[in-house]
Structure formats: C-alpha cells, structure tokens
Amino acid sequence: MAQETTSGGRPRRRTVLAAGVFGTAAGALGAGTARAARPAHPAPARAARAFPPDPLADRRLLSRMTREEKVGQLFVMRFHGDSATAPSAADAQANREDIGVATAAEMIARYHLGGVIYFGWAGNIRSPRQVAALSNEVQRAGLGLRVPVPLLVSIDQEHGAVQRIGPPATQLPGAMSLGAASLGAGGTSAGARAAAALAGRELAALGVRQDWAPDADVNVNPANPVIGVRSFGADPEAVARLVVAQVRGYQEDGGISAAVKHFPGHGDTATDSHVGFPTISHSRAQWDTLDAPPFRAAIAAGTDVVMTGHLAFPALDPTGDPATLSHPVVTGVLRGELGYDGVVTTDSLRMEGVRTKYGDDRVPVLALRAGVDLLLDPPDLGLAHRSVLAALRSGELTEERIDASVLRVLALKRRRGLLAEPYVDEAAVARSVGTPAHRALADRLAERGTTLVVNDGTLPLRADGGHLLVLGVDPASASGSDGPATRVLARALQEEGFRVTRRATGPAPEAATRDAAVAAARRAHTVVVATYGLDTDPAQRTLLASLVATGVPVVAVALRNPYDAAHLPDGVRALLAAYGWSDVEVRAAARVLTGRARPHGRLPVPVTRADAPERTLYPVGRGLSYA
C-alpha cells in the first residue's frame, strides 16, 4: 500500500515542502550545482531570421506542377539509410522492400515528395554532421526535379521519452519534467521556451526544419499508455502556457516549425493509438475546458502545424471515424471553430488507430477530404499516391482542394527559409550542436524538473554513508546514450564519490532474480531502485517489498511516470520522479539523490491512491526539498 504521509506522519528535519518560488527565468534556471561552475543564465534566445510570405510566388510555383507533382508535395515519407544516394547494401534492399526503390533520392524523384522524416531505427542517424550531410543530399534531390522544390525535413524529437537524435547532440528533459520545473519556478514557462529554442537551433543546424513537437495533450489518465510524460501535465491552462512557450521557442527563436499534437486531444485514453483505436468519451463541455485550451493557445501563438490524433471523439463526431479522417473535427472544429488556417498533418499513417476502420487505399483520400494537408508516413507510399490521384480523376477530390493544401505547404516552406536557403553548412555543425553551454542548460533544466515526492530523511545520500546497490528496470536506451539507465545512474553516483554496485533486475523480475537482489541488498547500506510502470508490473512491487523487508533503506527513482508513487510498498524511504530515462534525466536524478542539486520540481499531475482512485494521494504542486 502506498504511503500517504512520510514516516511518522510528518517529514523529518531535512525534508520540507518546496517553498522557493522563482518568479523569473534567471531564478528558475540560473542556480548552478555545487561542484561545477555553470552559466548564470540560459543562452539568450536569438530571434530566427524572418522570411516574408509571397503568395503570388507560391501560386506561380504551383501553376508549374502537374497533378502528380502536386500530390507528391502532400506526402512526408520515411526511408532507410544514412545517405540519400549511397545507402549500404542492406539499407538499399530495405528500401526496395519498403518503398520500391533503392534510395531516398529515387523515392523523391518518383513521387515528387514534399518531405521526409528521419528515424533512428531506419538507420538515418549516425552523427550530427552525417545528418546535416543527409539533409543536404535530400535537398539536392528535391531541387534536381523538373519543378525544383526543397523538401520539409522533419523528425519526431520531443526529447525525454521520444527522441531520435542522441548525444553528441544535446539531450533535453521531456515535457512532464519541464512542467514540473515550471511549477517549482512559480509557473514561469521560461525553461520550456529555452528548451525548445535550443532544440530548434540544433535541429536547424542539421537541416531539420520541422519537429513533430510539442505535445499539447492534457494527461488526466494515469493509465494512459501512449502519452503520460510526453504531456506537460494535467492542468489545461498550465499545459497551454508551456505549449505556447515551446511553439515560440521552436519557431521564433529556433527558426523551425512546431507541430502541436494530437488534436483534438489524446490525454484521457487507456489505448495506444499505435496498436489500437482509442475512443475519448469526454463531453463537448469537457473538451472545451480540458482538451481544447492548449490547442487554442497554440493557434493564437501562430503554430505552423497541427497534428491530428488517430482516435474517435464521439462528442465532436458521432460517426466513430478517427479524428484524422473526420471532416467535422478537422474542417468543422479545427478550421471552422478555432479558425486555424495553417498546415494540418496526420500522425503516422502506419499506426493502427487510423487503419482499423478503413483500408490503406482509402485513408489518405479520406484524410484529405477531412481537411488535412500533409500525409505522414503511409505504410505503402505507392498505393497512397495512386489512390489520391485516382480520387482526383474520379472527382472525389477536386483540384481546388489539392491546390489549397499545396499552397499551405509551400507557404510553410517559404516561411522557414527553405525556398531561400535550403542547405546547411556541414562544417559548422560541431560549433552549434551539443556545445558545453547547451549541455549545461540541459543539466539545469533536468535538475529543476526532478521532483522529490516522498522522503523520510534518507535523502540526500551521504558519500560516507557506505555502499550503494543500484538495481531495477532498464528501459530501451536512447540513441547514442551511455547505456542502460541503471548503468548511467550507477556511474553518476560513483562520480559523486559513492561506492556502488549495479545489478539490473529488469521488468517482471522472477523469483531467482529477486532472491539474488535481496542477497546483494543485505551487503549494502542503501538500495536505489529504478522503477518503471509499477501499476502494471506486480513483480517489481514484490521486489521492492522484499528489499524493504531486509531492513536496508530503499530509495526509488521513477524513470517514467510519477504515478509509480501510488504503488510503493510500505517502507520505501523515498521516491524521486525523474520523468524519463535519458542520460540527462538520470544524471540529474543522481545529483539530486546526493544533494549536489536540490530538488525543486513539483508534480504537474495528481497521483491518486492505487486502492481508491477517487482519492488524491499527492496533489498537483507536491514537491519536497532539502532544508
């Protein structure tokens, strides 16, 4: 059973409710850690160069295009390999099987593509300079066509739980960590904007002009399997402020396009739209007050792109169609009621949520009929392209409808400088990506978000307090990371002067694993356990209870959801919410564990009791610190 109070019903001497409210960005971000000199302020945000609109030039460019070329501008597609022209033999074969040609350049030429998306699993990313070279290859392919149009190069780099480019590019904490930091800093959104500005500038240096971020969902369901820490929190107004900050950071400071997602809101679902078809049961009134505010605010802030969610929302469209394919949702609500006239994109069309009700030949046509502009990552590009052309020939889609979307896409490309400056300086990448100043800012942001939820006085740990045992779950390592989270945590604690032994116990640890961990714990002074999804993993909870039974102090670090706090067995001395398992978040947790950094984060979501979900265990704003 989870603890509602600390040991004895009150905090011990060294633990107090976090009372420091920082009203300025300097206060929120400026405090350095005890042992390292750090800049007092984040790097100043530079306004991105403004590229003025030119509707007449866009229409002249459109008038030169054939139907096939126009339709191609509406697709953003994946490919395999770290080169657009000379992939490895294995990547070339993967491309033939996936997209019917050997290279990205051939795909761009065949389908007149409007954009591409980079993925780590597809082998697109080896190093920052290589990514910049790849982006230049992609642009040369687009500019070599009959009607030369630069491509919108994009990536899904939310940071935290979703990142494709790892070190030496700067890793940043994810959305919920930034939400926790903002509450600890008195509600300022300066950290969120600084993070987006930094991310945008680094991506722009790599030739990436579109990030599929930030997440505008309001996470009100602790069991949400797909959003969770990708959301800034559970309060609509707080989420709205942070979404606006990131839109401005990406676009005004970083010079790349933001894409708020997943309209009309994916924060209250127990189904992952990657593998199923969620339904949101909110009433229209609930949508207005809970889901809509971040999207309204992002539109008012001038977001370049809005991404639809593959989910049914009966209060907005009773047909049961996914929002991506819903004319009432996209054209009626988003464009009509909210007045949005920017680019609307689908989420990946390979996701099950958009493929459950209709076939892959119908999905792109129905999305365009609904009012969408960009078709992201279809499972079969050839089929999708042919289907849209067939709908044009039959009259199901009109030329005017396609032209409207192409003009929006061209206007976006012009606004982000692609038509004027499509290439990047590959030699300059090392001077602008992963710099010491950028990494220092990321460290401060991660520290400021780390939240001490439970503490009986065991934290901060003392270096002279004996031997530490680090064990627990290792989620999939981020690209380019230093390895599994428990290894990163153990090394970071060693760097702080602790004697540390590491033992990875993994998810669902079996009896033999638990027994070995308990035997190791008896030889330690303190046990630090990395948790991940305690609500769905009773074996992790059993392990924690077994460790507590040894009498050795047990400290938990929640590597993803802070909701793990509701599932701690009695006797766990402390719980730290890291909100993620990337290196920057795990190392920040280590610094907070040892007292090198003080915890300032506050919960941006409520934690309810496991045995009585209607009762709040730890409210929004909960956060302990060290006296």
Side-chain angles (χ1 to χ4, degrees):
M1 186 174 72
Q3 302 170 350
E4 289 191 272
T5 60
T6 53
S7 177
R10 57 187 296 178
R12 292 188 181 176
R13 180 179 59 83
R14 290 187 295 168
T15 302
V16 295
L17 282 171
V21 176
F22 303 86
T24 66
L29 302 175
T33 56
R35 301 184 189 173
R38 298 186 178 216
H41 302 282
R46 299 190 305 271
R49 178 179 173 185
F51 293 88
D54 192 341
L56 290 178
D58 294 341
R59 287 194 173 275
R60 286 195 296 270
L61 186 56
L62 175 74
S63 70
R64 297 173 56 198
M65 295 182 186
T66 64
R67 279 186 169 183
E68 290 78 5
E69 290 164 338
K70 291 178 183 179
V71 168
Q73 282 297 304
L74 307 183
F75 285 94
V76 177
M77 189 60 182
R78 68 191 178 275
F79 62 91
H80 297 263
D82 57 13
S83 168
T85 56
S88 69
D91 286 327
Q93 182 58 32
N95 279 328
R96 292 186 191 96
E97 295 171 358
D98 191 15
I99 56 179
V101 293
T103 70
E106 292 174 86
M107 174 182 69
I108 292 165
R110 175 177 291 189
Y111 296 107
H112 320 284
L113 279 188
V116 296
I117 180 171
Y118 293 160
F119 287 110
W121 60 261
N124 302 143
I125 300 160
R126 283 192 294 105
S127 70
R129 183 158 183 169
Q130 168 267 321
V131 173
L134 174 60
S135 297
N136 284 341
E137 289 182 337
V138 164
Q139 298 300 0
R140 281 192 289 272
L143 292 169
L145 301 182
R146 187 190 72 85
V147 179
V149 183
L151 279 82
L152 186 65
V153 176
S154 65
I155 198 165
D156 195 0
Q157 182 84 346
E158 296 175 14
H159 290 279
V162 178
Q163 61 177 326
R164 313 302 182 196
I165 302 177
T170 305
Q171 289 182 293
L172 288 156
M176 193 168 285
S177 179
L178 295 172
S182 76
L183 291 179
T188 177
S189 57
R193 180 161 182 170
L198 189 160
R201 288 196 289 269
E202 290 203 357
L203 289 175
L206 305 181
V208 177
R209 307 292 181 93
Q210 162 75 67
D211 194 2
W212 303 109
D215 192 303
D217 301 311
V218 181
N219 200 80
V220 294
N221 188 338
N224 194 325
V226 64
I227 303 301
V229 293
R230 298 169 62 194
S231 164
F232 290 108
D235 177 71
E237 298 308 320
V239 172
R241 286 194 301 273
L242 294 166
V243 166
V244 167
Q246 291 229 302
V247 167
R248 289 175 175 158
Y250 280 119
Q251 297 186 175
E252 297 173 19
D253 306 330
I256 70 170
S257 289
V260 298
K261 59 189 183 184
H262 307 81
F263 190 83
H266 209 323
D268 188 7
T269 174
T271 301
D272 183 347
S273 52
H274 291 85
V275 297
F277 182 26
T279 295
I280 308 296
S281 59
H282 292 179
S283 67
R284 175 58 196 249
Q286 286 176 309
W287 179 80
D288 280 329
T289 58
L290 180 63
D291 302 288
F295 293 101
R296 287 197 186 98
I299 291 167
T303 184
D304 279 356
V305 181
V306 174
M307 176 185 282
T308 60
H310 301 327
L311 49 91
F313 211 121
L316 302 181
D317 180 359
T319 67
D321 280 348
T324 297
L325 311 182
S326 169
H327 191 275
V329 170
V330 178
T331 296
V333 177
L334 179 56
R335 294 215 188 275
E337 295 182 27
L338 301 189
Y340 182 63
D341 194 36
V343 171
V344 178
T345 181
T346 72
D347 204 340
S348 170
L349 296 181
R350 289 187 295 130
M351 295 167 61
E352 192 63 27
V354 79
R355 304 174 71 191
T356 299
K357 193 171 180 181
Y358 300 99
D360 292 337
D361 59 332
R362 295 297 299 155
V363 164
V365 175
L366 294 174
L368 292 170
R369 288 181 58 183
V372 164
D373 301 305
L374 283 178
L375 303 166
L376 175 61
D377 193 29
D380 185 333
L381 176 60
L383 175 64
H385 194 268
R386 291 191 301 272
S387 298
V388 174
L389 285 172
L392 260 173
R393 288 191 295 269
S394 71
E396 184 179 7
L397 290 170
T398 66
E399 196 98 17
E400 292 75 16
R401 170 68 195 86
I402 298 299
D403 287 355
S405 285
V406 175
L407 286 170
R408 288 192 187 100
V409 172
L410 293 177
L412 183 151
K413 291 181 177 183
R414 187 176 299 279
R415 183 161 59 251
R416 292 299 150 218
L418 278 167
L419 299 181
E421 300 173 359
Y423 299 112
V424 293
D425 183 354
E426 297 167 29
V429 168
R431 298 194 298 272
S432 54
V433 175
T435 66
H438 286 185
R439 294 197 303 271
L441 174 57
D443 284 342
R444 290 199 303 281
L445 290 169
E447 290 170 1
R448 288 289 171 168
T450 305
T451 305
L452 184 59
V453 182
V454 177
N455 190 21
D456 71 347
T458 299
L459 298 182
L461 300 171
R462 294 174 50 187
D464 60 357
H467 174 231
L468 295 181
L469 173 65
V470 173
L471 50 78
V473 179
D474 284 316
S477 298
S479 173
S481 73
D482 284 347
T486 57
R487 181 187 300 165
V488 174
L489 181 59
R491 286 178 177 173
L493 291 169
Q494 286 174 332
E495 291 167 4
E496 296 298 320
F498 287 82
R499 293 188 294 116
V500 183
T501 298
R502 168 184 171 255
R503 178 181 292 273
T505 51
E510 298 178 350
T513 301
R514 293 197 300 270
D515 291 345
V518 166
R522 295 186 190 280
R523 299 188 294 272
H525 179 269
T526 304
V527 181
V528 180
V529 184
T531 69
Y532 184 98
L534 290 181
D535 57 331
T536 59
D537 192 344
Q540 279 190 67
R541 301 197 297 270
T542 299
L543 171 62
L544 278 167
S546 299
L547 293 168
V548 167
T550 66
V552 177
V554 175
V555 173
V557 178
L559 291 183
R560 185 162 182 158
N561 289 325
Y563 307 116
D564 280 5
H567 303 276
L568 295 177
D570 286 336
V572 172
R573 301 289 187 90
L575 178 121
L576 203 64
Y579 303 105
W581 61 95
S582 68
D583 291 1
V584 70
E585 292 158 319
V586 173
R587 289 188 176 122
R591 293 192 293 273
V592 172
L593 286 170
T594 64
R596 177 178 169 185
R598 291 177 176 270
H600 290 287
R602 297 187 181 183
L603 287 175
V605 294
V607 176
T608 58
R609 289 178 57 112
D611 58 346
E614 71 282 358
R615 297 179 59 185
T616 298
L617 182 61
Y618 303 118
V620 169
R622 163 83 174 197
L624 307 176
S625 191
Y626 303 142

